[in-house]
Amino acid sequence: MSTLERMRCRLRAHPMALDAALATAVLVCMMASSVIDPHVGQGTTWGVRTPNALSLTLMVLGAAALVLRRRAPMAVLAATGALSVLELVASDPRAPVAMSAVVALYTVASIKDRPTTWRVGLLTMTVLTACAMLAGPLPWYAQENLAIFAWTGMAAAAGDAVRSRRAFVHAIRERAERAERTREEEARRRVAEERLRIARDLHDVVAHHIALVNVQAGVAAHIMDKRPDQAKEALAHVREASRSALNELRATVGLLRQSGDPEAPTEPAPGLARLDELADTFRNAGLPVEVARADHGTSLPAAVDLAAYRVIQEALTNVRKHAGPEAKAEVSVVRVGPNVEVTVLDNGPGHDDGPEEGGGHGLLGMRERVTALGGSCTTGPRYGGGFRVHAILPVKNRTPALGGSA
């Protein structure tokens, strides 16, 4: 901070001291102007005169009133104006007491609104100028009389300009602060959306793989003594499912790393290209899955591709958890016009004990994911038994994606 800026800060912290200094400066200027006589005898342009006691008293009172100019601007203007009128009428030769009224008028114009400035300024100009022209010893057209009119007018104009500039600077500062608050709110909103997306991905990954691990572990425990070879195969599936879960969790949580952290995730987000692999994991867990696709050649945006994969993953996980041991699942992916329709059906009776229509975090997560992309998702029991999950996803996103990778 420069020396000038430090001085400004100190003066703003002590406005009374600043006004006292200004009043002293005005008093010095008035005293100097009252002592100098520009009208002396022939051959001399400048001279010295001694002001009378009335003029000295009026100048001191006018300067002293300026100390209170910030606290009571209108009262100070009225007081300095009255002192100026008294000096113009009763003092000869005149002293520049009107200088205090000029400063007081500037203060009023810099604080009050423009209509008040116009009214008070015109009244002050009219009264002081009329008194100087009509009551003084000089002709009405004398320079001293016209100077009063000019100085009061310039004081009102300067004060109004300062007030307008302050208002403009305040508006700019307020607009900048509002824009900053808007940016912070937008950043918080984006963070909340990103957290929701990551939580949704974590739920999909954990629910799918933990369900498979649970099933395979149960199978291994059941046949460990009688068929150890099949138990080993089940444990191998447990190990593979847990490894896949850890890899996907690492990739998902890797999104939370800072820019300088090592080991940024490089594995691409899962999509429909891995649908057969996903179906095999459920087949290995004992759930027969049939896959039918009529979308070959369709290139999907990353967010849509991921959403379709997660919908199928969550739906098959629910089938394995709630549909019963004899259930079968059918998965179809079809391109219909500008959309891709994903359907997962099962024939299991066990859904009566599982999530109902509109319930469960998995179903809610599916709907939120699909809705965020501009699509729709319906879930519910099938006529005759079983459960149906149907999602319609636009091939081209109509809304900004919340994220394109897991």
Side-chain angles (χ1 to χ4, degrees):
M1 183 180 295
S2 64
T3 304
L4 181 59
E5 291 177 347
R6 284 197 296 268
M7 291 180 60
R8 288 179 177 176
C9 292
R10 292 176 182 175
L11 291 175
R12 289 172 183 171
H14 303 86
M16 200 73 172
L18 177 60
D19 291 339
L22 176 62
T24 303
V26 172
L27 179 60
V28 170
C29 292
M30 289 191 295
M31 294 290 292
S33 299
S34 64
V35 171
I36 298 174
D37 185 8
H39 306 288
V40 190
Q42 297 180 356
T44 304
T45 305
W46 300 94
V48 178
R49 66 186 178 186
T50 302
N52 55 40
L54 178 61
S55 297
L56 290 175
T57 303
L58 295 177
M59 286 188 290
V60 172
L61 293 176
L66 295 179
V67 178
L68 303 175
R69 67 187 187 96
R70 295 177 190 266
R71 295 187 177 183
M74 296 296 290
V76 171
L77 177 60
T80 54
L83 294 174
S84 300
V85 171
L86 180 60
E87 189 274 335
L88 292 173
V89 173
S91 180
D92 186 20
R94 290 177 178 175
V97 181
M99 187 179 297
S100 60
V102 169
V103 176
L105 178 59
Y106 164 83
T107 303
V108 171
S110 64
I111 295 176
K112 302 296 181 179
D113 56 89
R114 181 163 294 173
T116 302
T117 300
W118 277 97
R119 291 193 296 268
V120 174
L122 289 175
L123 178 61
T124 305
M125 292 167 58
T126 302
V127 172
L128 294 183
T129 304
C131 291
M133 290 182 175
L134 300 177
L138 300 176
W140 68 269
Y141 52 83
Q143 294 182 357
E144 288 81 351
N145 299 335
L146 298 178
I148 294 177
F149 179 83
W151 279 107
T152 51
M154 286 189 294
D160 183 71
V162 170
R163 182 197 54 79
S164 299
R165 182 181 179 279
R166 287 175 183 169
F168 177 72
V169 172
H170 177 73
I172 292 178
R173 185 180 295 110
E174 185 179 15
R175 190 179 307 162
E177 293 175 354
R178 191 184 305 116
E180 184 66 23
R181 288 195 300 268
T182 303
R183 284 194 295 267
E184 292 176 357
E185 292 172 358
E186 179 67 15
R188 287 194 294 268
R189 185 186 65 82
R190 290 182 180 274
V191 168
E193 291 178 351
E194 184 67 11
R195 287 176 177 174
L196 177 62
R197 186 189 67 80
I198 293 174
R200 194 184 299 128
D201 284 343
L202 287 174
H203 172 271
D204 293 342
V205 171
V206 172
H208 163 60
H209 290 290
I210 295 302
L212 296 181
V213 168
N214 180 64
V215 171
Q216 294 292 352
V219 172
H222 181 69
I223 64 176
M224 178 66 73
D225 296 332
K226 298 180 180 180
R227 287 174 287 182
D229 293 339
Q230 294 184 6
K232 290 182 179 178
E233 182 179 353
L235 292 176
H237 289 311
V238 169
R239 183 176 57 187
E240 183 64 27
S242 61
R243 182 185 299 112
S244 298
L246 289 175
N247 290 336
E248 290 201 35
L249 283 173
R250 186 180 299 111
T252 302
V253 176
L255 293 174
L256 301 178
R257 294 180 181 271
Q258 301 296 326
S259 58
D261 292 343
E263 298 182 4
T266 57
E267 181 180 355
L272 293 180
R274 297 174 55 183
L275 180 56
D276 293 336
E277 178 184 345
L278 177 65
D280 288 339
T281 61
F282 284 97
R283 294 189 186 106
N284 294 331
L287 174 64
V289 179
E290 296 182 5
V291 179
R293 299 189 62 173
D295 65 323
H296 298 291
T298 300
S299 178
L300 299 179
V304 175
D305 199 21
L306 174 62
Y309 180 89
R310 294 302 190 197
V311 167
I312 296 173
Q313 183 185 55
E314 177 64 28
L316 292 178
T317 300
N318 287 337
V319 174
R320 190 68 188 87
K321 290 168 59 178
H322 304 293
E326 303 299 326
K328 298 180 181 180
E330 300 177 4
V331 178
S332 66
V333 182
V334 182
R335 171 70 183 270
V336 180
N339 303 318
V340 167
E341 297 188 9
V342 176
T343 307
V344 180
L345 306 174
D346 71 81
N347 60 350
H351 283 288
D352 293 338
D353 300 326
E356 297 294 335
E357 171 68 18
H361 295 291
L363 300 181
L364 179 61
M366 280 193 292
R367 293 193 189 95
E368 290 178 348
R369 185 186 294 275
V370 173
T371 303
L373 298 173
S376 61
C377 180
T378 57
T379 59
R382 298 174 60 193
Y383 179 77
F387 204 78
R388 176 178 183 268
V389 175
H390 181 66
I392 301 176
L393 293 164
V395 175
K396 295 182 179 180
N397 291 3
R398 292 191 292 270
T399 59
L402 296 180
S405 61

